[in-house]
Amino acid sequence: MLEVPINNSAHFFIGQQVTHRLFNYRGLVVDVDPEFSGTEEWYRNMARSKPPKDAPWYHLLVHGADHTTYVAERNLDEYEGTDFIDHPMLPVFFDGFKDGVYQPKRNLN
């Protein structure tokens, strides 16, 4: 898993809940890419609004689903609530929850 970019250009952080502006779902940030890191084919087929590739993109667990998604920052808003996320992969990435923010698991090397 990548860390939040060093230059702190990302608006959202790992463990933060967000909502998708276009598709109106809630998600949980599990990883941040400082810029688009997918394939050109994926971008052509999936990123229909053609968001910028040189801005942050986020890997999200989708609330109430069993899949993840990859979303450009411009399509996300901060979620103001403190509700829990319902996703089967939640325990893989997080082990705590406080004030609406999930606490990432710490890797012990």
Side-chain angles (χ1 to χ4, degrees):
M1 184 181 326
L2 295 176
E3 295 294 322
V4 175
I6 293 172
N7 65 8
N8 292 326
S9 64
H11 183 74
F12 306 108
F13 56 87
I14 294 171
Q16 184 176 13
Q17 295 186 57
V18 294
T19 56
H20 196 290
R21 289 180 182 170
L22 303 174
F23 301 123
N24 200 30
Y25 63 79
R26 185 163 45 105
L28 178 60
V29 177
V30 296
D31 200 6
V32 181
D33 292 337
E35 58 186 37
F36 178 75
S37 67
T39 65
E40 283 302 314
E41 180 180 5
W42 186 94
Y43 187 83
R44 279 193 311 275
N45 292 326
M46 302 300 291
R48 299 202 176 165
S49 67
K50 303 300 180 226
K53 294 181 187 178
D54 61 350
W57 282 67
Y58 299 84
H59 298 268
L60 305 178
L61 300 180
V62 178
H63 172 67
D66 62 358
H67 65 277
T68 63
T69 190
Y70 192 49
V71 183
E73 183 171 272
R74 84 165 186 193
N75 292 329
L76 297 173
D77 287 316
E78 182 178 351
Y79 177 68
E80 299 292 337
T82 58
D83 302 315
F84 290 104
I85 288 286
D86 178 19
H87 195 282
M89 292 179 62
L90 190 67
V92 172
F93 298 101
F94 303 98
D95 61 7
F97 181 78
K98 183 177 180 184
D99 300 325
V101 176
Y102 282 85
Q103 307 303 306
K105 284 189 171 183
R106 299 200 186 274
N107 293 335
L108 300 175
N109 295 342

